[in-house]
Amino acid sequence: MPELAEVEWYRKQWNDGRGDEIVDVRVHTGKYVFRGTNTRVLQENLVGKKLLRSTRRGKQMLFEFSGDNWLGIHLGMTGKTHVESPDFRPGKHDHLVLYQQKRALVFTDPRELGHVLFHHGADEPAWWKQHAPEVVSREFDQKFLDQFLDRHLKAPIKAVLLMQRGFPGIGNWMADEILWRAKVLPSKRAGKLNTRERVKIFRAAKFVVRRSLETLGRHFSDPPRTWLIHQRWENSGVCPRHRTPLRRATIGGRTTAWCPRCQR
DNA sequence: ACCCCTGTTCGGCG
DNA sequence: CCGCCGAACAGGGG
């Protein structure tokens, strides 16, 4: 389900619990979401600690606890974080529950494509350090984008936009939105893009991410009505600019929608 | 019943 | 090395 902006919204769902102690931890040990993570260590370390703060990079969330404890959550396709009452009883898909005196912080994921990571230590976890600059940051500039595209000249631009090491947090619908705004055909190879097209992709990426954070990221409210996202899942989806029927195909392994008139 | 899915990783192939 | 493909994870929704 979630891309960058939705992840940002889910990250904040646990904000009420900041400053409060974890009094109990419930874990569905052995589930796929805990692959590579020792759930017993997670449990033993988090009980008695306080949730301090959280941050997000791309689609990855990091929750920091007192005593040098770090919890990483990736929502995958169907994961979500939410808050429940302190007497919450975890259901089949509620794989991690952090109980506080006044609430329960819950991670739920029916399909289990998400990922829960844990690290104890003074230093930031290794899986957190290596990350590309956020699209909204100043470090994400035209030069960074150009250099990344230059490393994937033969790949369709749609596939390149989905690569998290170049465009952290961009997922399927945001990639389509960016290319529609930039008026670039998703199947076009990165190496075939001229300077003007690269600049338009850069600007569209900044715009789409910023506006998504202001709507979905802040209130989970809809992006502007004029965006492609409202059309791309419709069977009879049309271009918001002039109502030309959208086309669909699999590009970069993912369903892709575009306007054959705007995007060349 | 059938088909599709806002994610990521991995092995195999060309 | 590059990039693509299918599989894997295990359901849920239309």
Side-chain angles (χ1 to χ4, degrees):
Chain A
M1 183 183 198
E3 302 180 24
L4 180 155
E6 292 102 317
V7 173
E8 178 65 8
W9 188 81
Y10 281 117
R11 177 186 71 78
K12 291 186 276 194
Q13 296 311 296
W14 284 7
N15 275 359
D16 281 354
R18 285 176 300 182
D20 288 357
E21 189 178 318
I22 306 300
V23 295
D24 194 12
V25 175
R26 210 65 61 83
V27 174
H28 284 169
T29 303
K31 287 292 191 176
Y32 187 67
V33 292
F34 295 111
R35 54 199 181 275
T37 294
N38 187 325
T39 49
R40 192 180 48 79
V41 170
L42 179 157
Q43 221 159 359
E44 286 171 359
N45 279 284
L46 285 187
V47 172
K49 306 304 190 305
K50 281 181 182 170
L51 173 60
L52 299 178
R53 67 189 72 86
S54 64
T55 41
R56 177 196 55 75
R57 288 179 186 169
K59 298 171 192 168
Q60 181 71 45
M61 300 188 285
L62 180 70
F63 297 89
E64 195 180 331
F65 295 81
S66 58
D68 297 329
N69 293 294
W70 317 75
L71 181 74
I73 296 183
H74 191 296
L75 297 172
M77 200 96 98
T78 54
K80 45 191 63 170
T81 40
H82 50 112
V83 172
E84 303 296 338
S85 61
D87 60 355
F88 178 76
R89 297 266 158 260
K92 187 182 174 192
H93 304 307
D94 307 315
H95 307 303
L96 176 68
V97 186
L98 307 179
Y99 289 98
Q100 296 179 324
Q101 216 58 255
K102 295 180 178 168
R103 65 191 75 77
L105 311 176
V106 187
F107 166 67
T108 303
D109 186 3
R111 212 172 153 187
E112 295 183 41
L113 299 173
H115 204 177
V116 177
L117 297 159
F118 179 74
H119 171 73
H120 173 74
D123 271 0
E124 290 187 336
W127 42 261
W128 180 251
K129 285 175 185 165
Q130 27 125 33
H131 231 281
E134 289 292 295
V135 174
V136 293
S137 71
R138 223 174 342 137
E139 299 82 68
F140 187 97
D141 54 14
Q142 186 73 51
K143 185 181 167 198
F144 174 81
L145 182 144
D146 284 335
Q147 286 177 346
F148 189 73
L149 262 53
D150 287 342
R151 291 209 295 276
H152 303 282
L153 294 176
K154 288 186 177 168
I157 183 62
K158 164 71 183 261
V160 180
L161 283 170
L162 291 174
M163 295 177 184
Q164 300 300 297
R165 265 175 288 211
F167 299 89
I170 301 299
N172 204 18
W173 77 257
M174 275 190 177
D176 283 3
E177 196 74 48
I178 290 165
L179 291 173
W180 174 74
R181 182 161 290 273
K183 301 187 175 179
V184 171
L185 201 59
S187 57
K188 200 161 183 177
R189 314 234 163 209
K192 297 286 187 186
L193 298 170
N194 60 35
T195 304
R196 198 161 31 88
E197 290 169 322
R198 285 174 171 230
V199 170
K200 286 205 292 195
I201 289 172
F202 173 77
R203 289 185 184 150
K206 289 273 187 189
F207 179 82
V208 167
V209 170
R210 188 170 294 123
R211 287 291 280 140
S212 300
L213 285 170
E214 288 166 3
T215 52
L216 283 159
R218 196 168 298 167
H219 318 288
F220 221 72
S221 54
D222 275 347
R225 294 309 308 171
T226 52
W227 282 26
L228 186 71
I229 185 177
H230 304 295
Q231 295 289 332
R232 65 185 299 276
W233 298 120
E234 307 290 326
N235 273 329
S236 51
V238 295
C239 175
R241 289 197 187 95
H242 40 58
R243 311 201 65 74
T244 298
L246 298 179
R247 293 194 56 187
R248 299 169 88 174
T250 299
I251 300 172
R254 312 298 304 282
T255 301
T256 301
W258 74 95
C259 170
R261 181 170 152 193
C262 297
Q263 296 170 258
R264 306 279 175 176

